[in-house]
């Protein structure tokens, strides 16, 4: 019988640790949180120091029973959930359920899942850090108060089923404000004039008109451009200055969570959620041939750039071996960390630099390999020498006008031997790069050898020696995931562990949507944002939210009391809530008359607010149920949007008319085209055949009476097959099961797995 019990969060991590420790230890997984606030009510006693009422999470009773049973048999119990605030809260809840025996219950932190790190941690166990627990409790209580008290207000005034989040709503505000900037943006015309010159030495190079009479020149119209071109027609072009400077390029620090998410978004096109799910798997352990499961990276939720002395030494040895002494700095590189960073953590790095990506490629899925390579390259680059460039600026005089050409020559690559920032490596050219991450092309061009006094000749391209071009200033770009994470980080909104959740939540709630990979607020998102900002200006202020994050850090450091922090927040919040209840406009009951005539009954239609935003409706409802989508331009002119009904080839089993795809409160469904005379409806098939033996039906999405989504056979009640997870019409590549399923967890995010429990196939979602 095992003398010691270790409790971790993940089954994968449990398997890896079990391999290292042998029979003297039993390792169980809590599979995330075991207790939380109840879903059916607030669960916080606001009149009694905001005391939370925790309950066992639905489906976790069996897990807790097993943990308690094994804990009674163990000499020592080591609580080892993830080494962050949330993990500390999980450990505390489990300790509470163990009912005492505090003298044999310990807290251990596994910052990496390797044999040496696990055994060292077990030799020096600690106790649960209540300051971390209280910081997590404060965050949970704050979020619950905002969510559970604001959501009913939105249900009443805007639309049932909406929800508000303390941090997520601020992210929506940032996106909405960027959209408002774009709407208000007025483009400004400007012109550039470029020339291609030939000097005494090749190659031909390009320069741009920059100066007039020694001052910067701006050209804002074609007339101004034509005047400059006329003046330059017979000009003599002479090199008036050549300035060369050396530029040292510093290596980047190893990854923290936000930088990993940004780089994975830019270079690998991974969402933040996908990046964190893959990183979790790399941390918990991957089967590496005969070695078995091995944790390949350190803990992936961190805001510290610190790395251990041992890892620095290992990296230095590898750099010397692979690249030579010239790539190794005189002393190890050390990087500054933000004041709020948890220095107990290291940066995200390989658990062993000796495990290079190519040696692991046979054991890793493609996406895992790409992410591991990104982390490995960045870590090794952080310990390498600086790059050295020679930057050249050439000034060309043409009468009163001056042209300028710039170029950079790489003299020593240094860390760039394996890692380049701001570019699409290693797969260059695949997809559009973010304009804010790409270096100016001019700065990277190689210029010929030039000297002051050299005469230059124009090289004509398409019969043009001087090339004018019209431009217009562009509005600020919408945020993609990388830019949004950077904005949240710079403004102090959220923490490393929350960015992926924030981004997926605001999309799931349909407050924002992606267009060409960038976030655009929906009408619903803008409507909710306008009301929250109007009636709760303090709570949804960016600076205030950042200040709250700082106060949570103070609670963790023991500098603030969590109850007093919540109290300071709650008093003005409850007052604002009362004002909003009394004064916020009720969109659900508002009707705006129009001149659009209902084509079914002849009445003038009205603009109403519904689940998907504003729409035209007949005022004769419920006698006439005619509705239409519309658009409204800046002048207020309304245009009806005619929609074609999507046919399916199926016919109504009651009246024989075609069945069409329609949208309802629970998504797409099939309905008779002869509605309202015939009201036949049926679920929309997912294209996945029911796996029940002898059944010919398809799987379709349905809802329980309580609103939970599930998937069952279209022939129900004849066939009763049903599952909770969404089926995907793709055979399992491992066991050839007819379909896969989509799963989601707070810790790992979305994943794709085989629906057969006996098969362990899994990939990133």
């Amino acid at each position: 019988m095992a003398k010691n019990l270790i409790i971790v969060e993940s089954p994968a991590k449990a398997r890896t640790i079990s391999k290292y420790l042998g029979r003297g230890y039993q390792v169980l997984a809590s599979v995330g949180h075991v207790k939380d606030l109840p879903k059916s009510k607030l669960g916080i006693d606001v009149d009694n120091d905001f005391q939370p009422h925790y309950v066992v999470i639905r489906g976790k009773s069996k897990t807790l029973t097993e943990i308690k049973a094994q804990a009674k048999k163990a000499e020592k119990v080591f609580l080892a959930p993830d080494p962050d605030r949330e993990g500390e809260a999980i450990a505390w809840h489990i300790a509470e359920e163990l009912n005492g025996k505090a003298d044999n219950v310990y807290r251990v932190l596994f910052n990496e899942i390797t044999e040496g790190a696990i055994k060292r941690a077990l030799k020096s166990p600690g106790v649960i850090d209540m300051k971390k627990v209280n910081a997590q409790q404060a965050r949970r209580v704050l979020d619950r108060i905002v969510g559970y008290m604001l959501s009913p207000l939105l249900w009443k005034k805007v639309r049932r089923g909406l929800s508000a989040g303390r941090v997520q709503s601020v992210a929506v505000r940032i996106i909405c404000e960027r959209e408002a900037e774009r709407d208000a943006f007025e483009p400004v015309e400007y012109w550039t004039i470029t020339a291609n010159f030939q000097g005494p030495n090749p190659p031909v190079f390009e320069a741009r008109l920059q100066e007039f009479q020694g001052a910067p020149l701006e050209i804002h119209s074609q007339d101004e451009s034509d005047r400059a071109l006329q003046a330059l027609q017979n000009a003599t072009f002479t090199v008036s200055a050549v300035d060369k400077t050396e530029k040292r390029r510093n290596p980047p620090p190893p990854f923290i969570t936000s930088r990993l998410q940004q780089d994975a978004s830019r270079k690998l096109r991974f969402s933040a959620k996908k990046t964190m799910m893959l990183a979790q798997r790399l941390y918990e352990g991957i089967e590496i041939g005969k070695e078995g499961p091995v944790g390949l990276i350190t803990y992936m939720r961190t805001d510290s750039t610190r790395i251990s002395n041992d890892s620095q030494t290992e990296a230095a040895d590898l750099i010397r071996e692979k690249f030579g002494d010239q790539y190794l700095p005189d002393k190890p590189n050390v990087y500054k960390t933000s004041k709020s960073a948890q220095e107990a953590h290291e940066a995200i790095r390989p658990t062993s630099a000796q495990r290079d990506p190519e040696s692991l490629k046979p054991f890793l899925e493609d996406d895992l390999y790409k992410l591991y390579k990104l982390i490995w390259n960045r870590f090794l680059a952080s310990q390498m020498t600086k790059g050295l460039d020679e930057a050249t600026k050439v000034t060309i005089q043409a009468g009163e006008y001056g042209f300028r050409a710039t170029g950079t020559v790489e003299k020593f690559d240094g860390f760039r031997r394996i890692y380049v920032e701001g570019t699409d490596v290693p797969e260059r050219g695949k997809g559009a790069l973010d304009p804010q991450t790409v270096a100016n092309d001019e700065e990277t061009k190689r210029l010929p050898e030039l000297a002051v006094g050299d005469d230059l000749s124009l090289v004509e391209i398409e019969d043009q020696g001087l090339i004018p071009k019209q431009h217009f200033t562009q509005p600020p770009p919408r945020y993609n995931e990388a830019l949004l994470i950077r904005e949240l980080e710079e403004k102090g909104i959220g923490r490393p562990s929350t960015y992926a959740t924030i981004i997926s939540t605001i999309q799931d709630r349909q407050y924002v949507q992606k267009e060409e990979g960038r976030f655009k607020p929906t009408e619903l998102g803008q409507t909710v944002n306008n009301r929250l900002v109007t009636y709760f200006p303090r709570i949804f202020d960016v600076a205030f939210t950042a200040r709250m994050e700082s106060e949570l850090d103070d609670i963790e450091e023991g500098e603030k009391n969590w109850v007093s922090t919540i109290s300071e927040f709650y008093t003005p919040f409850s007052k604002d809530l009362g004002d909003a209840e009394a004064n916020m406009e009720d969109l659900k009951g508002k009707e705006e008359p129009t001149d659009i005539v209902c084509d079914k009954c002849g009445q003038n239609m009205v603009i109403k607010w519904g689940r998907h935003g504003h729409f035209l409706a007949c005022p004769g409802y419920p006698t006439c149920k005619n509705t239409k989508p519309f658009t409204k331009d800046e002048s207020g002119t309304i245009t009806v949007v005619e929609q074609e009904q999507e046919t399916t080839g199926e016919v109504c089993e009651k009246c024989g008319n075609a069945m069409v795809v329609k949208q309802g409160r629970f998504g797409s469904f099939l309905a008779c085209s002869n509605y309202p005379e015939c009201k036949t409806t049926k679920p929309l098939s997912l294209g996945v055949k029911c796996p029940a033996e002898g059944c010919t039906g398809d799987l379709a999405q349905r809802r329980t009476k309580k609103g939970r989504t599930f998937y069952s056979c279209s022939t129900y009640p004849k066939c009763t097959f049903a599952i909770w997870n969404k089926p995907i019409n793709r055979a399992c590549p491992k066991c050839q099961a007819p379909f896969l399923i989509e799963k989601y967890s707070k810790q790992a995010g979305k994943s794709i797995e085989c629906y057969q429990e006996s098969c362990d196939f899994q990939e990133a979602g």
Side-chain angles (χ1 to χ4, degrees), residues 193-200 203-209 228-239 396-398 402-404 454-468:
I193 296 176
T194 58
N196 289 281
F197 291 112
Q198 174 72 63
V204 172
F205 66 98
E206 183 183 277
R208 178 174 292 182
L209 182 62
L229 290 169
Q230 184 66 34
L232 290 165
Q233 285 301 315
N234 299 311
T236 299
F237 301 95
T238 306
V239 176
I396 301 155
Q397 205 63 37
F403 285 78
R404 184 172 299 150
D454 283 347
D455 290 328
L456 306 176
S457 58
L458 283 174
V459 177
E460 291 194 352
I461 296 179
E462 296 181 0
D463 299 325
Q464 282 186 301
L466 297 166
I467 305 167

Side-chain angles (χ1 to χ4, degrees), residues 401-595:
Y401 291 89
F403 285 78
R404 184 172 299 150
T406 58
T408 300
V409 176
E410 185 182 274
K411 297 185 74 175
F412 178 63
D413 54 4
F415 73 92
R416 296 172 295 187
R417 178 75 176 267
I418 60 170
Y419 182 86
V420 182
E421 289 192 279
T423 56
D424 231 5
V425 289
E427 298 177 286
R428 301 190 183 202
K430 292 190 177 181
L433 296 180
D434 188 287
Q436 296 192 26
T437 66
V438 181
N440 188 318
D441 285 343
E442 284 189 1
E443 294 182 358
T444 59
K445 288 179 180 175
R446 179 183 290 272
L447 296 175
E449 284 296 322
L450 295 166
V452 174
D454 283 347
D455 290 328
L456 306 176
S457 58
L458 283 174
V459 177
E460 291 194 352
I461 296 179
E462 296 181 0
D463 299 325
Q464 282 186 301
L466 297 166
I467 305 167
K469 191 172 183 180
Q470 183 187 39
H471 307 269
F472 291 92
T473 55
Q474 297 297 308
R478 293 188 177 111
Y479 294 102
N480 58 19
E481 286 208 8
L483 292 175
L484 182 59
I485 290 169
R486 187 175 73 181
E487 186 78 2
L488 294 172
E489 181 187 26
E490 289 179 353
K491 293 186 181 305
I493 306 300
R495 280 297 179 260
S497 60
T498 64
Y499 296 139
T501 303
I502 290 170
I503 288 172
S504 46
T505 298
I506 61 179
Q507 292 178 88
D508 293 343
R509 291 177 178 172
Q510 298 179 343
Y511 292 155
V512 303
Q513 62 188 18
K514 276 189 176 181
E515 285 190 4
E516 298 179 348
R518 292 181 178 265
F519 293 115
K520 179 182 179 181
T522 61
E523 183 184 10
L524 175 63
Q526 290 181 315
T527 300
V528 170
N529 176 67
N530 290 340
R531 278 149 183 77
L532 292 180
V533 171
T534 300
Y535 288 96
F536 302 90
R538 176 173 171 270
I539 292 168
F540 296 110
D541 175 67
V542 172
F544 174 79
T545 306
R547 203 158 53 244
M548 285 303 305
E549 292 292 347
S550 178
E551 291 189 14
L552 291 173
D553 292 338
D554 291 341
I555 294 170
E556 182 174 340
E557 295 299 320
E559 296 173 6
K560 289 206 72 169
N561 177 272
W562 79 271
V563 174
S564 62
T565 300
I566 302 297
S567 181
E568 291 168 9
F569 169 89
Y570 183 74
T571 301
F573 171 72
S574 59
K575 180 181 180 301
D576 290 343
L577 188 62
D579 291 343
E581 286 274 6
N583 301 315
M584 186 182 287
E585 179 185 28
D586 184 0
L587 279 180
K588 293 169 71 174
K590 182 181 177 182
E591 294 184 358
E592 179 185 341
T594 73
D595 295 329

Side-chain angles (χ1 to χ4, degrees), residues 111-157:
N111 289 300
E112 59 181 84
I113 308 302
T114 58
E115 185 171 358
I118 299 297
K119 290 181 177 178
R120 283 194 299 272
L122 291 172
K123 285 180 180 178
S124 55
V127 296
I128 292 171
D129 186 344
M130 287 307 300
K131 291 182 291 187
K132 278 188 178 179
V133 171
N134 288 335
Q136 179 60 26
Q137 279 202 114
R139 177 186 292 280
R140 189 73 184 96
V141 169
L142 277 172
D143 291 344
R144 175 55 68 100
I145 286 173
V146 172
Y148 271 54
M149 291 188 170
L150 267 187
S151 296
L153 174 69
L154 295 177
W155 295 2
K156 180 179 178 182
K157 302 288 188 176

Side-chain angles (χ1 to χ4, degrees), residues 65-173:
T65 299
E66 173 68 8
I67 288 173
K68 288 192 281 188
Q70 297 304 319
K72 288 179 181 178
K73 304 174 187 177
E75 291 182 8
K76 293 180 181 179
V77 178
F78 297 98
L79 303 176
D82 290 347
D84 55 17
R85 291 177 189 167
E86 201 149 353
E88 209 71 27
I90 293 171
W92 178 56
H93 284 148
I94 294 173
E96 279 191 322
E97 288 295 313
L98 296 182
N99 293 324
K101 289 189 72 177
D103 58 332
N104 81 324
V105 177
Y106 304 93
R107 173 73 166 122
V108 290
L109 303 176
F110 298 151
N111 289 300
E112 59 181 84
I113 308 302
T114 58
E115 185 171 358
I118 299 297
K119 290 181 177 178
R120 283 194 299 272
L122 291 172
K123 285 180 180 178
S124 55
V127 296
I128 292 171
D129 186 344
M130 287 307 300
K131 291 182 291 187
K132 278 188 178 179
V133 171
N134 288 335
Q136 179 60 26
Q137 279 202 114
R139 177 186 292 280
R140 189 73 184 96
V141 169
L142 277 172
D143 291 344
R144 175 55 68 100
I145 286 173
V146 172
Y148 271 54
M149 291 188 170
L150 267 187
S151 296
L153 174 69
L154 295 177
W155 295 2
K156 180 179 178 182
K157 302 288 188 176
V158 182
R159 193 192 83 183
R160 186 165 182 82
L162 294 180
S163 58
R166 182 181 62 88
V167 178
Q168 293 92 334
S169 295
V170 175
V172 174
R173 177 177 184 172

Side-chain angles (χ1 to χ4, degrees), residues 11 22 92 149 169 175 277 281 287 300 391 412 537 561 611 682 698 710 744:
W92 178 56
M149 291 188 170
S169 295
I175 293 169
M277 192 207 79
R281 292 177 62 190
E287 291 283 343
M300 63 284 154
F412 178 63
N561 177 272
R611 292 186 62 84
K682 60 190 296 187
D698 295 324
F710 71 103
Y744 177 79

